[in-house]
Amino acid sequence: MLAEVCATGRRLTRDELEALRSRGERAAEAGLGLRALVRRHLSVTRESRPTLSSAEGDRLLAAVEQAIDAFAEGHERAQTLAVRQEEAVRREFIDDLLYGRSDLGRLAERAVRFGLLLSRAHAVAVAQGGKPVEDIDPATRQVESAVTGRFGERSILLTTKDGRLVCIAPGDQDDVLVFFAEEAHAATDGGQVAIGRPHPGAGGVVHSYEEALNALDLADRLHLDKPVLRAADLLVYPVLTRDRQAMADLVVNTLGPLRTARGGARPLVETLTAYFDSGCVAAEAARRLNLSVRAFTYRLERIHKLTGADPADPVHRYTLQTAVIGARLLGWPDNDV
């Protein structure tokens, strides 16, 4: 081809360029690197150059430029297709893994390809920022680079799901999830991270993932602002809401009378929330609500009078605190329960 080009000065034909693209595709599919192949093209060019005149040399270089461009286009096209196919396979696996779909035995076989041994226990951490993140986001690449740079592959899978960062790690490698939480919190500009408990098997990954999601949901409803939440520390809340009707009855029977107060129940529920969150220290609770201690104490007395339950009494305090937690979980008094 080069000899004919040098002799006639013609450009490469459409069929020749397409043949070069096809060769580039086949080379990529065979696992041959583009750099080595370009060097080979240039090597052949150098072998032809000494015998050529200046005009013929210019023709040669023009043809080589066309040839390498077409060859590289085919190589890159095949690489792009391979990457897309790999991404599709990876995404399908992650969807099946986190949603518990597919045959568990087959899922375990597929997991080996991505470095997971589902015969072991695994735990899942989920990070949620102010805006959704995807695989191509800088935050995702930043966290993945930090985690793999610190721990290597080490049977860790990092991905995104529904706009959140997800890290799956062996259950006995809590240091991986803690480090992921720190990096994800920083990369998502102060996002919140929840860590599920370790559970065995493929179903265990789903269980841990759901625990982490539930922890994030609880944090939103209860206004928990800790940067890192552990599902193990929040087990009391699912227990409290397991019988939703019983919890709704407790909220209405205990806190319902607060609706008759001037301004409604919300300010008094917020008063109880601040009181319990501050360890039942009136001065600290008043500071959190920007109230004087006297005004705050008046509110507690008003609550006692309306509900018949004294926040300072240990027995009444437990009932009131449980009812306040239920109110926050059920969205009362804004929503009817």
Side-chain angles (χ1 to χ4, degrees), residues 40-82:
R40 179 60 182 152
H41 279 68
L42 296 178
S43 175
V44 173
T45 304
R46 282 196 302 271
E47 294 171 1
S48 305
R49 184 66 190 267
T51 62
L52 301 178
S53 66
S54 176
E56 291 173 331
D58 289 342
R59 297 170 189 168
L60 174 70
L61 293 177
V64 169
E65 182 180 357
Q66 277 188 290
I68 290 180
D69 183 67
F71 187 89
E73 180 185 348
H75 194 281
E76 291 171 358
R77 189 163 59 192
Q79 291 281 45
T80 300
L81 179 60

Short mmCIF file of all heavy atoms in Angstrom, two decimals, residues 40-82:
data_model
loop_
_atom_site.label_atom_id
_atom_site.label_comp_id
_atom_site.label_asym_id
_atom_site.label_seq_id
_atom_site.Cartn_x
_atom_site.Cartn_y
_atom_site.Cartn_z
N ARG A 40 4.90 -0.13 15.45
CA ARG A 40 5.13 -1.03 14.32
C ARG A 40 4.85 -0.33 13.00
O ARG A 40 5.60 -0.47 12.02
CB ARG A 40 4.25 -2.27 14.48
CG ARG A 40 4.39 -3.28 13.35
CD ARG A 40 5.82 -3.78 13.23
NE ARG A 40 5.93 -4.72 12.10
CZ ARG A 40 7.04 -4.91 11.42
NH1 ARG A 40 8.14 -4.22 11.73
NH2 ARG A 40 7.08 -5.78 10.44
N HIS A 41 3.78 0.43 12.95
CA HIS A 41 3.48 1.21 11.74
C HIS A 41 4.64 2.17 11.41
O HIS A 41 5.05 2.29 10.26
CB HIS A 41 2.19 2.03 11.94
CG HIS A 41 0.93 1.27 11.74
ND1 HIS A 41 0.51 0.26 12.58
CD2 HIS A 41 -0.03 1.36 10.76
CE1 HIS A 41 -0.65 -0.22 12.15
NE2 HIS A 41 -1.01 0.43 11.04
N LEU A 42 5.12 2.85 12.43
CA LEU A 42 6.20 3.82 12.21
C LEU A 42 7.50 3.13 11.82
O LEU A 42 8.31 3.67 11.07
CB LEU A 42 6.39 4.68 13.46
CG LEU A 42 5.19 5.56 13.84
CD1 LEU A 42 5.48 6.32 15.12
CD2 LEU A 42 4.86 6.52 12.70
N SER A 43 7.71 1.93 12.34
CA SER A 43 8.91 1.17 11.99
C SER A 43 8.92 0.84 10.50
O SER A 43 9.94 0.97 9.82
CB SER A 43 8.98 -0.11 12.83
OG SER A 43 10.07 -0.92 12.43
N VAL A 44 7.77 0.40 9.98
CA VAL A 44 7.66 0.10 8.55
C VAL A 44 7.87 1.37 7.73
O VAL A 44 8.49 1.36 6.66
CB VAL A 44 6.29 -0.52 8.23
CG1 VAL A 44 6.09 -0.68 6.73
CG2 VAL A 44 6.16 -1.87 8.93
N THR A 45 7.36 2.48 8.25
CA THR A 45 7.53 3.76 7.55
C THR A 45 9.00 4.13 7.46
O THR A 45 9.48 4.57 6.40
CB THR A 45 6.76 4.87 8.29
OG1 THR A 45 5.40 4.49 8.42
CG2 THR A 45 6.85 6.18 7.54
N ARG A 46 9.74 3.97 8.54
CA ARG A 46 11.17 4.30 8.53
C ARG A 46 11.93 3.42 7.53
O ARG A 46 12.87 3.87 6.89
CB ARG A 46 11.76 4.12 9.92
CG ARG A 46 11.45 5.26 10.88
CD ARG A 46 12.37 5.23 12.10
NE ARG A 46 12.27 3.97 12.80
CZ ARG A 46 11.38 3.75 13.80
NH1 ARG A 46 10.54 4.70 14.14
NH2 ARG A 46 11.34 2.57 14.39
N GLU A 47 11.52 2.15 7.41
CA GLU A 47 12.19 1.26 6.46
C GLU A 47 12.00 1.72 5.03
O GLU A 47 12.86 1.49 4.16
CB GLU A 47 11.64 -0.16 6.63
CG GLU A 47 11.98 -0.80 7.96
CD GLU A 47 11.24 -2.12 8.17
OE1 GLU A 47 10.48 -2.52 7.26
OE2 GLU A 47 11.41 -2.73 9.24
N SER A 48 10.88 2.37 4.75
CA SER A 48 10.59 2.81 3.39
C SER A 48 11.21 4.17 3.07
O SER A 48 11.48 4.49 1.91
CB SER A 48 9.07 2.90 3.17
OG SER A 48 8.45 1.67 3.48
N ARG A 49 11.45 4.98 4.09
CA ARG A 49 11.82 6.39 3.89
C ARG A 49 13.17 6.60 3.19
O ARG A 49 13.27 7.46 2.31
CB ARG A 49 11.80 7.11 5.24
CG ARG A 49 12.07 8.60 5.16
CD ARG A 49 10.94 9.31 4.42
NE ARG A 49 11.27 10.69 4.12
CZ ARG A 49 10.95 11.71 4.93
NH1 ARG A 49 10.32 11.48 6.05
NH2 ARG A 49 11.26 12.94 4.59
N PRO A 50 14.24 5.85 3.50
CA PRO A 50 15.57 6.18 2.93
C PRO A 50 15.61 6.17 1.41
O PRO A 50 16.44 6.85 0.81
CB PRO A 50 16.48 5.11 3.52
CG PRO A 50 15.80 4.70 4.77
CD PRO A 50 14.35 4.76 4.46
N THR A 51 14.80 5.38 0.77
CA THR A 51 14.88 5.24 -0.69
C THR A 51 14.00 6.24 -1.42
O THR A 51 13.92 6.21 -2.65
CB THR A 51 14.45 3.82 -1.09
OG1 THR A 51 13.10 3.61 -0.70
CG2 THR A 51 15.35 2.78 -0.43
N LEU A 52 13.32 7.11 -0.71
CA LEU A 52 12.34 7.99 -1.33
C LEU A 52 12.89 9.39 -1.54
O LEU A 52 13.74 9.87 -0.77
CB LEU A 52 11.08 8.07 -0.46
CG LEU A 52 10.36 6.74 -0.18
CD1 LEU A 52 9.17 6.99 0.73
CD2 LEU A 52 9.93 6.07 -1.48
N SER A 53 12.36 10.03 -2.56
CA SER A 53 12.68 11.44 -2.76
C SER A 53 11.89 12.27 -1.75
O SER A 53 11.01 11.76 -1.04
CB SER A 53 12.30 11.86 -4.18
OG SER A 53 10.87 11.79 -4.34
N SER A 54 12.15 13.56 -1.72
CA SER A 54 11.46 14.44 -0.78
C SER A 54 9.95 14.45 -1.04
O SER A 54 9.14 14.38 -0.11
CB SER A 54 12.01 15.86 -0.89
OG SER A 54 11.29 16.74 -0.05
N ALA A 55 9.56 14.52 -2.32
CA ALA A 55 8.13 14.54 -2.65
C ALA A 55 7.47 13.23 -2.28
O ALA A 55 6.36 13.20 -1.73
CB ALA A 55 7.95 14.83 -4.14
N GLU A 56 8.17 12.13 -2.58
CA GLU A 56 7.62 10.81 -2.24
C GLU A 56 7.51 10.65 -0.72
O GLU A 56 6.57 10.03 -0.21
CB GLU A 56 8.48 9.71 -2.82
CG GLU A 56 8.41 9.63 -4.35
CD GLU A 56 9.42 8.63 -4.91
OE1 GLU A 56 10.48 8.44 -4.27
OE2 GLU A 56 9.14 8.05 -5.97
N GLY A 57 8.48 11.22 0.03
CA GLY A 57 8.44 11.16 1.49
C GLY A 57 7.23 11.88 2.06
O GLY A 57 6.60 11.39 3.01
N ASP A 58 6.91 13.01 1.45
CA ASP A 58 5.72 13.74 1.91
C ASP A 58 4.45 12.92 1.66
O ASP A 58 3.54 12.88 2.50
CB ASP A 58 5.62 15.08 1.17
CG ASP A 58 6.70 16.06 1.62
OD1 ASP A 58 7.28 15.83 2.70
OD2 ASP A 58 6.96 17.03 0.87
N ARG A 59 4.39 12.26 0.47
CA ARG A 59 3.24 11.42 0.18
C ARG A 59 3.14 10.27 1.20
O ARG A 59 2.05 9.89 1.64
CB ARG A 59 3.35 10.84 -1.23
CG ARG A 59 3.34 11.88 -2.35
CD ARG A 59 3.69 11.20 -3.67
NE ARG A 59 3.90 12.18 -4.74
CZ ARG A 59 4.45 11.88 -5.92
NH1 ARG A 59 4.81 10.64 -6.17
NH2 ARG A 59 4.59 12.81 -6.84
N LEU A 60 4.32 9.72 1.51
CA LEU A 60 4.36 8.60 2.45
C LEU A 60 3.82 9.01 3.82
O LEU A 60 2.97 8.32 4.40
CB LEU A 60 5.80 8.10 2.59
CG LEU A 60 6.04 7.02 3.65
CD1 LEU A 60 5.41 5.71 3.22
CD2 LEU A 60 7.53 6.84 3.91
N LEU A 61 4.28 10.14 4.32
CA LEU A 61 3.84 10.58 5.65
C LEU A 61 2.35 10.89 5.67
O LEU A 61 1.66 10.63 6.66
CB LEU A 61 4.65 11.81 6.09
CG LEU A 61 6.14 11.57 6.35
CD1 LEU A 61 6.84 12.87 6.70
CD2 LEU A 61 6.31 10.55 7.46
N ALA A 62 1.85 11.46 4.57
CA ALA A 62 0.41 11.75 4.51
C ALA A 62 -0.40 10.45 4.57
O ALA A 62 -1.43 10.36 5.25
CB ALA A 62 0.09 12.52 3.23
N ALA A 63 0.07 9.42 3.85
CA ALA A 63 -0.62 8.14 3.86
C ALA A 63 -0.54 7.47 5.22
O ALA A 63 -1.52 6.88 5.71
CB ALA A 63 -0.04 7.23 2.79
N VAL A 64 0.63 7.55 5.86
CA VAL A 64 0.81 6.95 7.18
C VAL A 64 -0.10 7.63 8.20
O VAL A 64 -0.69 6.98 9.07
CB VAL A 64 2.28 7.03 7.62
CG1 VAL A 64 2.43 6.66 9.09
CG2 VAL A 64 3.14 6.13 6.76
N GLU A 65 -0.23 8.95 8.07
CA GLU A 65 -1.13 9.67 8.98
C GLU A 65 -2.56 9.17 8.83
O GLU A 65 -3.26 8.93 9.82
CB GLU A 65 -1.06 11.16 8.68
CG GLU A 65 -1.92 12.02 9.60
CD GLU A 65 -1.82 13.50 9.28
OE1 GLU A 65 -1.05 13.86 8.37
OE2 GLU A 65 -2.52 14.28 9.94
N GLN A 66 -3.00 9.00 7.57
CA GLN A 66 -4.34 8.45 7.34
C GLN A 66 -4.48 7.05 7.91
O GLN A 66 -5.48 6.72 8.56
CB GLN A 66 -4.61 8.40 5.84
CG GLN A 66 -5.10 9.68 5.20
CD GLN A 66 -5.51 9.42 3.76
OE1 GLN A 66 -4.67 9.17 2.89
NE2 GLN A 66 -6.80 9.47 3.52
N ALA A 67 -3.47 6.24 7.67
CA ALA A 67 -3.54 4.83 8.07
C ALA A 67 -3.60 4.69 9.59
O ALA A 67 -4.42 3.93 10.12
CB ALA A 67 -2.33 4.07 7.52
N ILE A 68 -2.72 5.40 10.28
CA ILE A 68 -2.70 5.28 11.75
C ILE A 68 -3.98 5.83 12.35
O ILE A 68 -4.53 5.28 13.31
CB ILE A 68 -1.46 6.01 12.32
CG1 ILE A 68 -0.19 5.24 11.96
CG2 ILE A 68 -1.58 6.16 13.84
CD1 ILE A 68 1.08 5.88 12.47
N ASP A 69 -4.49 6.90 11.76
CA ASP A 69 -5.73 7.48 12.28
C ASP A 69 -6.87 6.48 12.15
O ASP A 69 -7.67 6.29 13.08
CB ASP A 69 -6.05 8.76 11.52
CG ASP A 69 -7.29 9.44 12.05
OD1 ASP A 69 -7.27 9.93 13.20
OD2 ASP A 69 -8.31 9.48 11.33
N ALA A 70 -6.99 5.81 11.00
CA ALA A 70 -8.06 4.83 10.79
C ALA A 70 -7.87 3.62 11.70
O ALA A 70 -8.83 3.12 12.30
CB ALA A 70 -8.08 4.40 9.33
N PHE A 71 -6.62 3.15 11.79
CA PHE A 71 -6.34 1.99 12.63
C PHE A 71 -6.68 2.29 14.09
O PHE A 71 -7.32 1.49 14.78
CB PHE A 71 -4.87 1.61 12.49
CG PHE A 71 -4.49 0.34 13.18
CD1 PHE A 71 -4.59 -0.88 12.53
CD2 PHE A 71 -4.06 0.35 14.49
CE1 PHE A 71 -4.25 -2.07 13.16
CE2 PHE A 71 -3.73 -0.83 15.14
CZ PHE A 71 -3.82 -2.04 14.47
N ALA A 72 -6.25 3.48 14.57
CA ALA A 72 -6.52 3.86 15.96
C ALA A 72 -8.00 4.04 16.21
O ALA A 72 -8.51 3.71 17.29
CB ALA A 72 -5.77 5.15 16.30
N GLU A 73 -8.73 4.56 15.20
CA GLU A 73 -10.18 4.72 15.35
C GLU A 73 -10.85 3.37 15.59
O GLU A 73 -11.71 3.22 16.48
CB GLU A 73 -10.76 5.37 14.11
CG GLU A 73 -12.27 5.58 14.19
CD GLU A 73 -12.86 6.12 12.90
OE1 GLU A 73 -12.08 6.54 12.03
OE2 GLU A 73 -14.11 6.10 12.76
N GLY A 74 -10.45 2.36 14.81
CA GLY A 74 -11.02 1.03 14.99
C GLY A 74 -10.65 0.44 16.33
O GLY A 74 -11.49 -0.18 17.01
N HIS A 75 -9.40 0.63 16.74
CA HIS A 75 -8.93 0.11 18.03
C HIS A 75 -9.72 0.75 19.18
O HIS A 75 -10.20 0.06 20.09
CB HIS A 75 -7.44 0.40 18.17
CG HIS A 75 -6.77 -0.35 19.28
ND1 HIS A 75 -6.86 0.04 20.60
CD2 HIS A 75 -6.00 -1.48 19.28
CE1 HIS A 75 -6.17 -0.80 21.35
NE2 HIS A 75 -5.64 -1.73 20.58
N GLU A 76 -9.88 2.06 19.13
CA GLU A 76 -10.60 2.78 20.18
C GLU A 76 -12.08 2.41 20.19
O GLU A 76 -12.70 2.33 21.24
CB GLU A 76 -10.42 4.29 19.98
CG GLU A 76 -8.99 4.77 20.25
CD GLU A 76 -8.80 6.22 19.84
OE1 GLU A 76 -9.77 6.84 19.31
OE2 GLU A 76 -7.68 6.73 20.04
N ARG A 77 -12.63 2.20 19.00
CA ARG A 77 -14.05 1.81 18.91
C ARG A 77 -14.29 0.48 19.61
O ARG A 77 -15.26 0.32 20.36
CB ARG A 77 -14.46 1.74 17.45
CG ARG A 77 -15.95 1.57 17.22
CD ARG A 77 -16.31 1.92 15.79
NE ARG A 77 -15.60 1.10 14.82
CZ ARG A 77 -15.56 1.37 13.51
NH1 ARG A 77 -16.15 2.45 13.04
NH2 ARG A 77 -14.91 0.57 12.68
N ALA A 78 -13.39 -0.45 19.37
CA ALA A 78 -13.52 -1.76 20.02
C ALA A 78 -13.33 -1.65 21.53
O ALA A 78 -14.03 -2.29 22.31
CB ALA A 78 -12.50 -2.73 19.43
N GLN A 79 -12.37 -0.81 21.95
CA GLN A 79 -12.13 -0.63 23.38
C GLN A 79 -13.33 0.00 24.06
O GLN A 79 -13.73 -0.40 25.16
CB GLN A 79 -10.89 0.28 23.60
CG GLN A 79 -9.58 -0.36 23.20
CD GLN A 79 -9.07 -1.32 24.25
OE1 GLN A 79 -9.82 -2.13 24.78
NE2 GLN A 79 -7.80 -1.24 24.56
N THR A 80 -13.91 1.01 23.41
CA THR A 80 -15.09 1.67 23.97
C THR A 80 -16.25 0.69 24.11
O THR A 80 -16.95 0.68 25.13
CB THR A 80 -15.51 2.85 23.09
OG1 THR A 80 -14.43 3.79 23.02
CG2 THR A 80 -16.75 3.53 23.65
N LEU A 81 -16.45 -0.13 23.08
CA LEU A 81 -17.51 -1.12 23.13
C LEU A 81 -17.28 -2.11 24.26
O LEU A 81 -18.21 -2.47 25.00
CB LEU A 81 -17.60 -1.86 21.80
CG LEU A 81 -18.66 -2.97 21.71
CD1 LEU A 81 -20.06 -2.39 21.94
CD2 LEU A 81 -18.58 -3.68 20.36
N ALA A 82 -16.01 -2.54 24.42
CA ALA A 82 -15.68 -3.50 25.49
C ALA A 82 -15.94 -2.89 26.85
O ALA A 82 -16.47 -3.55 27.76
CB ALA A 82 -14.23 -3.94 25.36
#
